[in-house]
Amino acid sequence: MGRDIVVATPSGPVNAWRADPPHGAAAQGAIVVLQEIFGVNAHIRSVADGYAAAGYVAIAPALFDPVARNVELTYEAADFERGRALAAELGFDRAVGIVRATRDLLHGEGHRQIGVVGFCWGGSLAFLANTRLGLPAVSYYGARTVPFLDEPLQAPMLFHFGADDASIPETDIAAHRTRQPDAEVHVHAGGHAFNRDVDPTHYHPDSAAEARRQTMKFLAAALR
């Protein structure tokens, strides 16, 4: 069962959802779950809970807290625009600082094998957590990564894309392969947010299941 915690960060206290493995189970590692532009909502909490059920400590920091606290948005157009505005106001530098603080909290508890898994905007942040913090990272359909692709990887990296994602054209996927040749890249049937199981207009269950299998294999190797 997950619970709310607070992470001390350079941008002030940030709320987070924390999920731990079942009682008595030794953690296989720890994962920082990075939200979409919709905040730490029911979907992101369920993602964290799923990693905990698989044996990982999972923490999803509410990245928008420094600019707007306790944000949980819907997938309607008005909330989409608000989420984009909040992401722009926060900026990637402050977001990386929050990821660093979450990593440090886990380090302080004795966890040494720590990775990140991010979705959409959080997928691009996951890449930066790799290049700037040295954390193994999984990026699901991060559409804002291309401007940063010349930053060298510091740890294993896995990218997931949807074949029909209008926000990430084939040329962008090709740029990931060309400019980050050491990364693992998978392209799945479906479009953007194919893993978002609370959103039937985007969810592609077969692709979500395959990406999950690939992600768990990646994490088992990267965090061993």
Side-chain angles (χ1 to χ4, degrees):
M1 186 69 176
R3 57 190 172 92
D4 295 312
I5 65 168
V6 176
V7 180
T9 83
S11 300
V14 166
N15 294 320
W17 180 255
R18 175 177 182 139
D20 290 277
H23 291 300
Q28 301 179 49
I31 297 172
V32 183
V33 177
L34 302 177
Q35 65 180 62
E36 302 173 300
I37 60 170
F38 308 103
V40 179
N41 57 11
H43 173 56
I44 295 301
R45 291 192 295 270
S46 72
V47 169
D49 291 348
Y51 284 117
Y56 294 94
V57 175
I59 298 180
L63 296 166
F64 290 161
D65 268 11
V67 295
R69 297 191 70 79
N70 302 318
V71 171
E72 290 191 41
L73 303 177
T74 71
Y75 305 115
E76 301 299 323
D79 275 358
F80 178 82
E81 292 304 320
R82 184 178 181 222
R84 291 184 65 179
L86 289 170
E89 184 178 356
L90 178 69
F92 277 124
D93 288 342
R94 278 198 285 181
V96 169
I98 295 169
V99 178
R100 180 186 291 110
T102 308
R103 177 205 65 187
D104 292 346
L105 182 154
L106 290 162
H107 272 167
E109 295 179 355
H111 299 288
R112 289 294 175 264
Q113 303 304 319
I114 302 171
V116 297
V117 180
F119 302 85
C120 185
W121 175 75
S124 294
L125 178 58
F127 173 77
L128 296 178
N130 183 313
T131 62
R132 300 181 186 183
L133 303 178
L135 297 176
V138 180
S139 170
Y140 278 77
Y141 33 82
R144 307 183 187 205
T145 312
V146 170
F148 304 107
L149 279 178
D150 290 329
E151 295 190 20
L153 294 180
Q154 304 295 330
M157 184 75 220
L158 169 60
F159 294 105
H160 292 298
F161 298 107
D164 301 318
D165 189 339
S167 65
I168 308 176
E170 289 184 13
T171 52
D172 284 2
I173 297 174
H176 284 70
R177 295 186 190 277
T178 301
R179 294 161 66 183
Q180 293 294 345
D182 293 330
E184 187 177 345
V185 178
H186 294 287
V187 180
H188 303 272
H192 195 77
F194 65 78
N195 189 70
R196 193 192 295 154
D197 55 3
V198 298
D199 181 4
T201 62
H202 291 85
Y203 183 47
H204 193 293
D206 290 343
S207 293
E210 178 63 10
R212 166 82 171 183
R213 184 192 67 76
Q214 293 162 343
T215 295
M216 297 309 290
K217 179 181 178 181
F218 171 88
L219 292 171
L223 302 183
R224 64 188 175 192

